Amino acid sequence: MYKISAKREQWKAYLILVVPAALIYFSVMAFPTIFSIGLSLTNYNGGKIFGNPKLVFTGFSSYLRIFQDPDFYLALKNNLFIVLISVFGQIPLGFGLAYILSRRLVKGVDFFQTMIYLPNVISPVIIGILFKSFYLNQDSVYMELLRKLNPAAEFTLSNHPMIPVLVVMLWMYTGMYVIIFLANLQRIDTSVIEAAKIDGASEAQTLWYILLPALSGVIVTCAILAISGSLKSFDLLFVMTGGGPAKQTSVLSLYMYSKAFVGAPNYPLANAISTVMVIISFILIGLTQGMEKRFGGKE
């Protein structure tokens, strides 16, 4: 009798704790995802208001249209540039700065920690406006500097327009990884590092054989955050470049936005783009986790 009562109470606890969370997850995450995929397989373009009263199942025609559009490949290429600068720029730089701060190799650790993290508390819209005036005008500081370095060359906004965007993203998001690595470096037992030093290990050997293996799981988590954040980047680019000039700084999120809200709406195509973005994200995250299992250490 006591066992039955205990099991009943356990089920009540599960229902009270799990069901509300499951309902919230389904309504906020699962249902919109399923609805978006379903919408991408139809011809829905806003109903009667936009002259499309009859809903017709069109299959994978929107997906085929994506892969036939050159603008998709340009946006995908720019997104991959952002992924690369995030994974191989922000994360190594963030780890390096965190290592310097944790080992107190510089004075004023608290000051530098605050200054490095500061861009993360500023709105991306504000940052986009500031750097737009700094980089993307013919009379901007960036253009004047290029002319000073090479007076004979004629620089325009079409000369490598993604470089300013990548520099801003590197500056803006590195601070977040600094804080993550700094918090996890402080968890490592200092006696292990001291023992390695006593055994004659150099600073580089301590870093390579002790710290990096201990932080392999954290590095993978940071890589997943970087990949997912890179693929959904929208606000900074929308304000800073709007995808221009001539769509040269367009990314998948801007490409999706243009199909859904600029000119005649094409909601099936926009939803198909979002589905492709999710699939690409899963593929990159899967590759990252696979590499961690193959080469990573154990925490």
Side-chain angles (χ1 to χ4, degrees):
M1 187 71 180
Y2 173 75
K3 288 183 178 179
I4 295 173
S5 178
K7 188 168 284 189
R8 187 178 299 160
E9 291 299 320
Q10 190 177 25
W11 273 107
K12 283 183 181 178
Y14 285 154
L15 290 174
I16 292 170
L17 295 173
V18 175
V19 171
L23 289 174
I24 292 171
Y25 173 80
F26 182 79
S27 60
V28 175
M29 296 291 295
F31 173 74
T33 302
I34 295 168
F35 184 77
S36 174
I37 295 171
L39 206 61
S40 70
L41 302 174
T42 69
N43 69 333
Y44 179 78
N45 275 342
K48 293 182 179 180
I49 264 183
F50 294 97
N52 182 216
K54 189 176 180 181
L55 190 66
V56 177
F57 178 79
T58 58
F60 292 98
S61 59
S62 295
Y63 294 90
L64 294 174
R65 185 174 171 185
I66 290 172
F67 292 109
Q68 293 170 354
D69 189 353
D71 290 343
F72 167 75
Y73 294 101
L74 178 59
L76 179 61
K77 182 186 75 171
N78 290 334
N79 257 123
L80 292 177
F81 283 147
I82 296 173
V83 169
L84 290 174
I85 201 66
S86 298
V87 175
F88 299 105
Q90 293 168 7
I91 294 176
L93 183 58
F95 177 80
L97 292 171
Y99 179 76
I100 291 170
L101 295 176
S102 68
R103 301 287 289 162
R104 297 193 173 271
L105 301 178
V106 294
K107 294 181 179 179
V109 169
D110 293 337
F111 170 77
F112 284 111
Q113 184 176 324
T114 303
M115 288 298 103
I116 292 168
Y117 186 71
L118 188 61
N120 286 265
V121 302
I122 304 174
S123 168
V125 174
I126 302 298
I127 291 175
I129 293 170
L130 289 173
F131 279 96
K132 182 178 181 180
S133 62
F134 181 84
Y135 276 119
L136 302 178
N137 292 318
Q138 284 300 127
D139 298 323
S140 65
V141 177
Y142 173 68
M143 288 295 179
E144 288 298 324
L145 182 62
L146 290 179
R147 292 188 187 102
K148 292 288 184 184
L149 294 173
N150 191 355
E154 181 60 33
F155 293 101
T156 66
L157 297 181
S158 60
N159 294 125
H160 310 293
M162 278 300 293
I163 291 178
V165 174
L166 297 176
V167 170
V168 173
M169 287 188 165
L170 183 64
W171 170 80
M172 185 177 173
Y173 294 111
T174 297
M176 180 180 71
Y177 301 109
V178 171
I179 298 300
I180 293 173
F181 283 121
L182 198 56
N184 284 277
L185 282 168
Q186 291 170 352
R187 289 173 45 218
I188 298 174
D189 191 355
T190 54
S191 63
V192 177
I193 299 173
E194 290 171 3
K197 292 288 184 184
I198 292 170
D199 289 340
S202 65
E203 195 76 30
Q205 288 173 327
T206 304
L207 175 64
W208 185 257
Y209 292 107
I210 296 175
L211 297 181
L212 284 177
L215 295 174
S216 62
V218 179
I219 293 170
V220 171
T221 301
C222 289
I224 291 171
L225 290 172
I227 291 168
S228 59
S230 300
L231 288 174
K232 69 178 185 180
S233 54
F234 175 81
D235 42 9
L236 178 69
L237 277 159
F238 182 75
V239 174
M240 191 172 171
T241 68
K247 300 181 180 179
Q248 290 186 60
T249 58
S250 176
V251 291
L252 291 175
S253 56
L254 285 173
Y255 178 59
M256 177 181 66
Y257 174 83
S258 67
K259 298 301 179 183
F261 303 112
V262 178
N266 193 332
Y267 297 126
L269 188 61
N271 282 280
I273 295 166
S274 70
T275 304
V276 170
M277 288 171 63
V278 171
I279 293 170
I280 292 170
S281 179
F282 281 152
I283 291 171
L284 292 176
I285 289 170
L287 289 173
T288 303
Q289 292 178 327
M291 290 182 66
E292 194 274 337
K293 287 179 181 177
R294 177 67 179 86
F295 301 106
K298 299 294 183 183
E299 287 190 275

